[in-house]
Amino acid sequence: MASSAAVWGATSVSSAGRGAMARLLLLCAASGLLLAAVAAIPPPEEAARMARYVLHSCDWGALATLSAQEGLRGRPFANIFSLSDGPPGPCGGSGVPYLYLTDMEISVQDLEVNSNASLTVSLAQTPYCRKHRYDPQNPLCAHIIFVGSIVKVNDSEAGLAKKALFSRHPEMESWPKDHNWFFAKFNITNIWVLDYFGGLKIVTPEEYYSVKP
C-alpha cells in the first residue's frame, strides 16, 4: 500500500505540475499576443493614430526654426532636441511633444524672436526600420512633420512635462542649474504623415488629439 500511495502521490504531483505548466504557457501566449498588439504599428489608413504612434516611439526630433543669428537671419536652421510625450510604454502618451530648453541654446534664441517652428520625428530612430531594413527616406519608415510654435508650459503643466521628459532622459536632472532650464511644448497647428507610398497625408490637431493611440 505504501508503494501504491507513493506512486499515487508522484502521479498527483506530476499532474499538478503539468497543470501549472499549461497555465504558465497559456499566460505566456496571452502576454505575447498582448505585447504584439501593443507593438503593432497602425495601418496606413489610420494616419492620426500613426502620428501619435511615431511621436510616442521617438526620444528625439529635428526642430527647424527661422534663424535669428547674424549672417543667417531668416534662413531655416534645423537642430536636434530630446523630447517626450509621456513615459515610455504601451499607454500611448499625451501626444504633446515636451522639451527641456535653455535660453543659452542657439535655436531657443531663434524662437525668442519667432516662435514658429517645425518638428520632424521618424521611426528611423527605432528598431522598427532597422528590423525591416527600411532606409530612413523610405515612406514605410514612417515620419511625421509637425508645424506650430514653441511655448513655455505653465506651472500646472510643468509636473506633467517633467515626468514625461525625465522618465526618458534621466540625464536631464543633472544638467547645470545655472543654465536656467525650463519646460516647453510644441503647440501643434498642422500635421503631415508620410507612412506609405502615394504622398503625404494631412491630419488635423483635432483628429490627432481625439484618436486613441
Side-chain angles (χ1 to χ4, degrees), residues 16-34:
R18 284 197 298 270
M21 181 63 70
R23 288 192 294 273
L24 180 60
L25 289 172
L26 184 62
L27 179 61
C28 288
S31 299
L33 288 172
L34 178 60

Side-chain angles (χ1 to χ4, degrees), residues 34-118:
L34 178 60
L35 288 172
V38 167
I41 189 169
E45 60 269 19
E46 297 185 24
R49 276 191 63 219
M50 179 65 78
R52 292 286 297 270
Y53 175 88
V54 174
L55 177 66
H56 189 62
S57 300
C58 292
D59 292 329
W60 56 268
L63 185 75
T65 58
L66 290 176
S67 180
Q69 307 304 312
E70 195 64 40
L72 291 175
R73 196 174 305 276
R75 299 174 70 179
F77 190 88
N79 205 347
I80 297 299
F81 285 90
S82 298
L83 54 80
S84 175
D85 79 329
C91 294
S94 66
V96 178
Y98 289 109
L99 305 101
Y100 197 42
L101 305 177
T102 169
D103 293 335
M104 299 173 69
E105 212 288 325
I106 189 170
S107 295
V108 177
Q109 294 170 13
D110 296 341
L111 293 167
E112 290 172 345
V113 176
N114 185 339
S115 63
N116 292 315
S118 71

